[in-house]
Amino acid sequence: MINKFMTVYAGHIDIPDHGQDATPANDRRHSNDRLASVFDKTESIAKTMDEFGYDTLWLAEHHFQHEGYECLPNILMCAVHLAHVTKTLRIGCGFNITPMWHPLRLAEDYATADILTKGRTVFGVGRGYHSREVETFGSPIIDQEANRELFEEQVEILFKAFNNESFSHKGKHYTIPADVPYRGYQLKELTLVPRPVNLPVECWQPIVSASTRGIEFMVRHGIKGLVGGGAATMAEGPIQAYQRVANSMGHDLKLGENLTIGVSYYLAKTREQAIHEMLPYYEEHVKMFAPLGFVPGITPAQIEAVARRGGWDAAGVPTLEHYLKLGSWFAGTPDDLVAHLKSFEERYPGMQHINLSPPLTTPKDKIVEQYRMVGELVMPHFQRHPAVQAAAQ
């Protein structure tokens, strides 16, 4: 049953205009002061979520985005800060893009955050999707197979470093430690200093397909998965595939166990009002993500159309209503959202986490209000009765 509420906040600043008739995505550029405002916005979100008992605030690592959409370059530093201005909220790395790191530096930084936040930093890894970011840091992303190969070796190293008092590794991309003399002996092993104190490390990764290979890799390392809301409508999507693969590897998972569904949502007094207010944020989302391949079903001609002002209807760009019907987006009243999430509980009896995120570029005052509405009017319907919870412990 669902009892842990989470969100992904990728670090969008408040922008002055929204939607298909507003500034094209590639034409957006903001001052450094405006870009730096993301940290104040992040802190306000974290404090609100902490007040209402959310489980995890997931932050996304991104770089060089003068457009203002994703402006948090170091989420582990953010986690340490946010843990000191909140009481119980966990801060998740959603996700550290490992091809932009040396795996040992990432392992050290996570271990430091784990200790300084007393276990309230949640690890997460991803392969990336911005060529401007990943390729600039010297790793492949356009070559997807090379990216996957590098990523998988890096994750192997991360877990070796976390789980072993000392270790070595020899692969295609890394030889650890370097084969060099050190203080009178030949170096053969390394110890991560510090190692995380909360073991095993809880780790999450996005799941964007039902690939058996990718899911086998996750299950082998005990990695949990965040899947898109559209997967709820698939007969054999990532949710079913994760259970099938995990159980074939000797596990006994209920459908939805170790997974969460990510749903973009917006609440208002009526469904009509919610759709009206959500629409410009949806259009901003499409402007940002369609060229990156993250708007399912959109054609190349429609991608060209969303790069310009207006004219979306004539180009046949998929509407907000289309994705509302798919279930990957949600607009309605708090009671509507309760019913929507209860349907997830029925379909996925093993799922404990739900990931609800207001749309990209939702302004600070409105995004805080959205989290407050969920905390006050939705979450109480999913909190276990104290007597039931006590009996289960």
Side-chain angles (χ1 to χ4, degrees):
M1 63 181 296
I2 294 172
N3 54 34
K4 296 180 180 179
F5 281 70
M6 313 193 297
T7 196
V8 172
Y9 170 61
H12 50 82
I13 64 170
D14 287 10
I15 61 176
D17 56 351
H18 300 82
Q20 63 172 293
D21 295 318
T23 306
N26 286 344
D27 293 343
R28 291 197 180 278
R29 182 172 287 274
H30 304 279
S31 69
N32 189 60
D33 285 346
R34 183 180 288 272
L35 294 169
S37 70
V38 69
F39 298 109
D40 178 68
K41 187 173 183 177
T42 304
E43 185 172 316
S44 295
I45 290 169
K47 289 179 176 178
T48 301
M49 294 178 68
D50 191 54
E51 176 186 352
F52 286 97
Y54 283 80
D55 182 79
T56 310
L57 165 59
W58 290 96
L59 304 176
E61 176 194 354
H62 289 291
H63 304 270
F64 318 128
Q65 289 202 26
H66 60 262
E67 301 90 351
Y69 293 123
E70 298 166 323
C71 302
L72 295 172
N74 194 313
I75 53 181
L76 286 164
M77 289 182 68
C78 290
V80 172
H81 169 69
L82 294 175
H84 287 87
V85 298
T86 56
K87 296 179 180 178
T88 61
L89 181 69
R90 304 195 310 161
I91 313 301
C93 302
F95 299 87
N96 278 125
I97 306 305
T98 60
M100 297 191 289
W101 290 76
H102 189 290
L104 293 183
R105 293 301 300 268
L106 180 55
E108 288 177 338
D109 283 9
Y110 169 74
T112 301
D114 177 62
I115 294 166
L116 293 179
T117 66
K118 296 180 171 57
R120 286 167 56 198
T121 302
V122 188
F123 196 49
V125 294
R127 293 170 52 192
Y129 55 88
H130 291 284
S131 58
R132 179 173 59 185
E133 296 180 349
V134 180
E135 299 275 350
T136 296
F137 278 107
S139 293
I141 189 67
I142 295 172
D143 183 338
Q144 282 285 292
E145 188 55 35
N147 172 269
R148 177 190 290 277
E149 183 183 74
L150 174 63
F151 168 80
E152 290 184 351
E153 184 175 347
Q154 290 176 319
V155 172
E156 295 280 357
I157 293 168
L158 284 163
F159 280 95
K160 283 183 179 180
F162 290 154
N163 296 327
N164 297 281
E165 194 281 330
S166 63
F167 76 101
S168 63
H169 173 88
K170 187 172 181 61
K172 179 177 180 179
H173 300 281
Y174 298 94
T175 297
I176 298 172
D179 186 13
V180 295
Y182 178 71
R183 263 191 344 215
Y185 65 93
Q186 196 71 15
L187 198 57
K188 297 296 183 184
E189 292 187 327
L190 282 184
T191 295
L192 191 72
V193 178
R195 292 167 61 207
V197 296
N198 296 284
L199 295 172
V201 170
E202 179 181 351
C203 184
W204 292 71
Q205 180 182 332
I207 303 179
V208 297
S209 75
S211 161
T212 297
R213 172 184 169 181
I215 294 173
E216 284 179 346
F217 181 83
M218 294 177 66
V219 173
R220 187 164 67 250
H221 291 286
I223 299 174
K224 301 177 181 181
L226 187 155
V227 299
T233 65
M234 298 180 187
E236 169 62 9
I239 299 172
Q240 292 82 1
Y242 189 94
Q243 181 199 37
R244 173 176 54 79
V245 172
N247 290 353
S248 74
M249 296 172 67
H251 297 269
D252 184 21
L253 300 185
K254 296 179 181 179
L255 188 61
E257 190 171 352
N258 288 345
L259 300 175
T260 184
I261 293 177
V263 177
S264 295
Y265 83 96
Y266 198 90
L267 300 180
K269 292 182 179 179
T270 66
R271 185 174 186 273
E272 293 71 23
Q273 179 187 353
I275 293 173
H276 174 76
E277 294 184 11
M278 188 184 214
L279 180 59
Y281 308 139
Y282 160 76
E283 292 178 347
E284 205 63 42
H285 172 96
V286 173
K287 288 161 61 177
M288 165 62 172
F289 288 109
L292 300 172
F294 287 95
V295 178
I298 197 167
T299 68
Q302 292 163 353
I303 292 173
E304 290 183 8
V306 302
R308 303 186 295 268
R309 291 181 187 263
W312 288 24
D313 289 344
V317 175
T319 63
L320 172 58
E321 191 66 39
H322 170 73
Y323 293 106
L324 292 174
K325 290 178 180 177
L326 283 181
S328 54
W329 289 66
F330 175 88
T333 68
D335 287 343
D336 293 336
L337 182 55
V338 170
H340 188 59
L341 299 184
K342 290 293 184 182
S343 74
F344 284 176
E345 281 192 322
E346 293 176 3
R347 279 178 279 176
Y348 310 118
M351 189 169 291
Q352 289 185 294
H353 302 80
I354 192 68
N355 199 305
L356 301 175
S357 303
L360 185 82
T361 73
T362 303
K364 176 182 172 182
D365 58 342
K366 292 188 177 182
I367 201 170
V368 166
E369 180 59 23
Q370 289 295 310
Y371 290 123
R372 187 176 297 276
M373 291 173 71
V374 170
E376 289 180 340
L377 303 174
V378 176
M379 287 170 58
H381 293 271
F382 296 87
Q383 292 172 345
R384 302 166 69 181
H385 189 278
V388 175
Q389 193 166 2
Q393 293 176 344

